[in-house]
Amino acid sequence: THHSLALNSDGSVMAWGRNEYDQTFIPSGLGQIKTIAAGGRHSLALSEGGTVHAWGSNGHGQMDVPSDLCKVKSISAGWLFSVAVREDGSVIAWGDNKYGQTDIPKEYL
């Protein structure tokens, strides 16, 4: 990744660095954010309410947050993919799967 994200104590997000894919243009209306993740060409934020927000490049579906995704407790952003862990411990991933990075083992579903 060629960009950086930082989370302020008030829940707002800061971003800087290479912005070739708009990954540092923070969308308005994110609300209170509790965690962030910088991917290769995209950025993720997890709201206090458990909603995942994504911005930047979507060339491999890494921003296509599943519409039924809720009650998320943590997120991670890879080069061209995204991962979320729900409150129940189940894992969901989306985006590029060239190397099996979104093929979640059955024990984590």
Side-chain angles (χ1 to χ4, degrees), residues 67-84:
S67 59
D68 62 343
L69 184 61
C70 60
K71 297 183 179 181
V72 174
K73 69 177 181 178
S74 66
I75 54 173
S76 179
W79 182 251
L80 298 171
F81 65 97
S82 303
V83 180

Side-chain angles (χ1 to χ4, degrees), residues 35-73:
T35 191
I36 51 178
R41 297 178 178 174
H42 69 297
S43 299
L44 298 176
L46 177 60
S47 73
E48 288 289 342
T51 301
V52 177
H53 304 274
W55 63 96
S57 171
N58 196 33
H60 293 84
Q62 65 268 38
M63 288 181 24
D64 292 339
V65 179
S67 59
D68 62 343
L69 184 61
C70 60
K71 297 183 179 181
V72 174
K73 69 177 181 178

